[in-house]
Amino acid sequence: MKNQFRGNSFSDRDDVAAAVHALVEPLIEHFSPGRAGIVLGATGARHDQVSADMEAFARPLWGIVPLAAGGFDFQYWPLWREGLSNGCDPEHLEFWGYPQDSDQRLVELAAVGFALALVPEHIWDPLDSAAQKNISSFLDRAFVCNYPVCNWKFFRLMIGLGLQRTGHAIDTQLQKNYLQEIDSYYLGNGWYNDGKPQQVDHYIPFAFHYYGLILAKLSDDSDLANKFHQRAGALAPQLSHWYADDGAALPFGRSLSYRFSHAGFWGALAFSGEEALPWSQIKGLYLRNLRWWARQPIFDAGGHLSIGYAYPNLLMSEGYNAPGSPYWAMKAFLPLALPPEHAFWAAEEAPVSRTEAPLPLPEAAMVMQTLPGHQVALASGQQLDNMRHGAEKYAKFAYSTRYGFSIEVDERQFDEVAADNMIAFSDDGRHFRVRESNVRALIAGDLLYSQWRPFADVTVDTWLLPQGRWHIRVHQIHTPRRLQTIEGGFAIARPGRDDWQQQIDGASCTLSTASDVSTLLGNDHRRARAHQALPNSNLINARTLLPQLCGSIEAGQSTLACAVAAAPAGCDSPPAPLFPTVDELRRRIEQSGQPVLTPRVAEH
């Protein structure tokens, strides 16, 4: 059967509704006998199997619920009602097990709370009193659990919404406590951190603002609603720079297997009535992103969303990615709850209005570049040390909507390192180190600075500066011993027949294919090379090549510098870059540098 998501034109509300059906239909045959779980695959996650199957059961509700709220038919409600009843029944063989503190069940129950709050006529009212009692008792237990210090705080609030909507009293002080904790993560200017001071990723729009705007819509608290509206309104113009004109979102940070959940922020603005940008622009950002995903090979042979980003890829996954995890992408479908005459659906799509000047985002530790064919984020300051591939997901020098980023798939082959938009150091020619965390990170206008240590006794000062279609990198390194280095530019798709050209001259390398050009221009003693990265290392393209600079530095102080650019084929070559001196860069930071990722306002 043809997958109706692939190639969907996403031109109107009916197309978006068709996508929900296309995603749900392949799941139906995988329900467990008692309907409390959906079993999608044999790969594992760190939570127990019952939670994994519950995850695949619950996450589609993020799309099914607004579909039903918007008046569309959905024939499978009996399956979800039966599964919810049995999963919450301690006497049933498919009982989910009582939720505990920091339990994966708490995550998935947020979707249940949302369903009870928005469409109780479909998932609550038809149930008998015994089932309703079991469900409310189960949710009561979950509501009072302790939730981790991160976006999970919202899950108590979502569960509380469902309990209240179905007539159950809750401890409102517990709600207030978590609202205060969420406020403590607020950095100002629309940005939060995700409970960790150096983590600001897609969880900010598709979790913090997403749930906040649902609360704003469904809560009776006008002060709460105004706060979440104001914060989302402040973020939207900045976040629009994370999206390219072709709809691609910036691949950055963890949980990228959730894919078009990125569109959930724009849909939540519509759902809550927050016109942070003109509706025509919000609608364009929303639909273009869905169209981009409709062009990617993100499904397995059975029509299920795979773990991966632009193609199936377990190498880039997190330990919490079970087979059903990608269905958090269903959060994108929130605007289906709106009637067709709503201003969001009635608007004509329009491109985003933005200048091409670099845009500093100090709360996110980024400087955004609007370049031909893609958006680029220069980054210094974010880090997540306890996550697999955390360095690649947070600590590279640049991230691109068109070229994504690569993960290192073998940390014992220095010569095979991708090091796209990173510099790698080795002291034995086999193992290597890259930037993982920062000692200091500052921003001065469009200039980013960080100090970091690849080894305990090696210090690197790095400056990143946008310059037209280039970005400039300067590294000053202090080392007590000789080190080998490899630094990479943007990784581009390697053609299937290896039909590509290279121009290498000393410290300069330009790689050209029928679709893209990637250039790395060194301003030091290193030599350039063309590198074919190990397969399945890049999030967007399974086979890539990239320009690199290779060389050694001796004990003492060394300065390395390069200019980096990439663009779709056919673009004019950018003018030759100009390299600032270390003294000039250091002077700018000393005069006006401010810490990144720090609160900018007193309001919480």
Side-chain angles (χ1 to χ4, degrees):
M1 183 174 65
K2 181 181 178 183
N3 187 311
Q4 298 299 313
F5 188 94
R6 294 192 186 104
N8 189 318
S9 65
F10 286 109
S11 59
D12 57 26
R13 184 171 176 264
D14 287 342
D15 285 343
V16 176
V20 176
H21 289 291
L23 289 162
V24 171
E25 285 287 346
L27 303 178
I28 301 305
E29 64 179 300
H30 298 285
F31 265 100
S32 59
R35 315 303 190 193
I38 295 178
V39 185
L40 290 182
T43 59
R46 67 189 183 199
H47 43 274
D48 63 87
Q49 190 60 47
V50 172
S51 295
D53 297 342
M54 176 192 179
E55 179 180 68
F57 165 89
R59 294 193 173 192
L61 287 170
W62 291 110
I64 296 167
V65 168
L67 179 82
F72 292 94
D73 291 333
F74 183 69
Q75 62 177 312
Y76 298 115
W77 276 119
L79 297 178
W80 265 270
R81 285 196 297 267
E82 182 182 355
L84 179 61
S85 297
N86 292 336
C88 294
D89 181 358
E91 303 301 319
H92 196 276
L93 288 174
E94 294 192 12
F95 177 55
W96 287 329
Y98 288 119
Q100 308 295 321
D101 292 347
S102 303
D103 188 344
Q104 185 68 28
R105 292 162 180 78
L106 305 177
V107 180
E108 311 318 327
L109 289 174
V112 173
F114 176 58
L116 295 176
L118 200 61
V119 290
E121 68 274 19
H122 291 294
I123 198 166
W124 175 263
D125 296 344
L127 298 174
D128 61 34
S129 60
Q132 290 180 347
K133 183 178 179 181
N134 284 335
I135 294 167
S136 59
S137 176
F138 194 88
L139 293 177
D140 277 334
R141 285 175 175 262
F143 182 79
V144 300
C145 286
N146 292 315
Y147 293 66
V149 179
C150 63
N151 66 89
W152 281 39
K153 301 290 183 185
F154 276 104
F155 300 147
R156 172 186 283 173
L157 306 181
M158 298 302 297
I159 292 168
L161 271 182
L163 284 168
Q164 289 176 308
R165 179 66 177 82
T166 52
H168 293 82
I170 61 172
D171 185 345
T172 56
Q173 186 57 49
L174 291 178
Q175 283 184 312
K176 292 176 182 177
N177 292 345
Y178 272 15
L179 285 168
Q180 290 173 355
E181 290 193 44
I182 289 166
D183 280 348
S184 72
Y185 309 153
Y186 189 59
L187 298 171
N189 204 24
W191 295 94
Y192 296 83
N193 64 52
D194 192 17
K196 300 178 179 65
Q198 281 122 348
Q199 186 185 349
V200 178
D201 51 27
H202 280 286
Y203 274 89
I204 308 315
F206 74 41
F208 281 82
H209 287 289
Y210 181 86
Y211 304 127
L213 289 170
I214 290 176
L215 291 169
K217 176 74 171 182
L218 302 182
S219 168
D220 295 328
D221 187 336
S222 59
D223 290 338
L224 179 74
N226 289 336
K227 176 173 65 177
F228 284 128
H229 276 293
Q230 183 274 324
R231 292 178 180 180
L235 180 70
Q238 303 171 76
L239 193 68
S240 70
H241 287 257
W242 281 22
Y243 290 79
D245 291 342
D246 66 355
L250 184 72
F252 175 80
R254 67 189 179 103
S255 296
L256 294 175
S257 280
Y258 302 156
R259 295 191 173 99
F260 41 93
S261 56
H262 293 167
F265 173 73
W266 308 110
L269 290 174
F271 177 75
S272 68
E274 176 56 45
E275 192 176 5
L277 295 169
W279 286 126
S280 58
Q281 293 186 27
I282 293 174
K283 185 177 181 181
L285 285 159
Y286 176 77
L287 292 179
R288 285 192 298 272
N289 184 247
L290 291 176
R291 283 188 207 113
W292 189 88
W293 286 109
R295 298 191 295 270
Q296 311 308 317
I298 57 177
F299 296 93
D300 65 19
H304 313 119
L305 285 173
S306 62
I307 297 172
Y309 191 65
Y311 63 95
N313 187 339
L314 281 173
L315 292 172
M316 55 74 64
S317 66
E318 284 81 34
Y320 51 79
N321 287 156
S325 293
Y327 284 86
W328 239 7
M330 302 289 274
K331 291 164 69 175
F333 300 116
L334 192 53
L336 287 174
L338 301 172
E341 62 270 15
H342 188 279
F344 170 79
W345 290 117
E348 293 291 331
E349 285 185 58
V352 176
S353 299
R354 57 189 173 206
T355 67
E356 294 187 1
L359 175 69
L361 300 176
E363 292 87 358
M366 292 177 176
V367 173
M368 299 301 304
Q369 289 181 285
T370 296
L371 301 175
H374 63 145
Q375 297 291 114
V376 169
L378 305 182
S380 275
Q382 291 211 46
Q383 60 194 59
L384 190 60
D385 300 334
N386 62 343
M387 185 68 61
R388 184 166 61 178
H389 302 301
E392 293 97 317
K393 293 172 181 178
Y394 291 90
K396 286 181 182 283
F397 304 133
Y399 295 85
S400 164
T401 57
R402 185 175 179 89
Y403 305 113
F405 65 86
S406 303
I407 55 171
E408 300 302 341
V409 297
D410 190 339
E411 296 183 353
R412 291 178 295 279
Q413 289 193 71
F414 177 56
D415 194 56
E416 292 289 348
V417 66
D420 59 316
N421 294 309
M422 298 183 108
I423 185 170
F425 295 93
S426 178
D427 59 3
D428 65 0
R430 184 184 182 196
H431 305 87
F432 59 90
R433 300 286 187 89
V434 296
R435 183 170 70 170
E436 299 175 15
S437 59
N438 300 280
V439 178
R440 299 176 67 208
L442 304 171
I443 188 169
D446 61 1
L447 175 64
L448 286 164
Y449 163 80
S450 69
Q451 184 179 91
W452 52 286
R453 293 193 176 102
F455 300 92
D457 56 353
V458 176
T459 300
V460 183
D461 294 279
T462 293
W463 293 264
L464 304 174
L465 179 68
Q467 188 182 105
R469 283 169 45 193
W470 301 93
H471 73 260
I472 307 296
R473 305 179 199 160
V474 178
H475 313 289
Q476 191 169 78
I477 303 128
H478 293 83
T479 175
R481 62 191 182 282
R482 186 175 186 270
L483 297 173
Q484 295 172 260
T485 72
I486 298 177
E487 183 168 8
F490 289 100
I492 61 176
R494 179 180 158 195
R497 294 181 178 273
D498 284 344
D499 181 18
W500 50 277
Q501 294 78 45
Q502 63 184 46
Q503 293 178 300
I504 299 177
D505 183 10
S508 173
C509 180
T510 296
L511 305 180
S512 305
T513 69
S515 59
D516 293 282
V517 178
S518 183
T519 299
L520 184 58
L521 177 59
N523 192 41
D524 52 59
H525 67 279
R526 293 175 292 175
R527 308 291 292 181
R529 74 171 185 177
H531 180 59
Q532 299 179 35
L534 293 172
N536 306 312
S537 53
N538 187 268
L539 269 67
I540 292 181
N541 297 294
R543 301 166 74 249
T544 58
L545 62 153
L546 69 155
Q548 291 181 335
L549 290 170
C550 306
S552 299
I553 56 174
E554 302 303 323
Q557 177 178 294
S558 300
T559 299
L560 304 177
C562 62
V564 186
C571 294
D572 294 336
S573 298
L578 300 174
F579 289 92
T581 66
V582 168
D583 287 343
E584 291 169 341
L585 296 169
R586 197 177 294 279
R587 189 179 307 114
R588 279 191 61 183
I589 291 295
E590 290 174 351
Q591 290 175 347
S592 57
Q594 297 292 324
V596 296
L597 298 162
T598 54
R600 303 283 156 174
V601 297
E603 185 267 319
H604 284 312

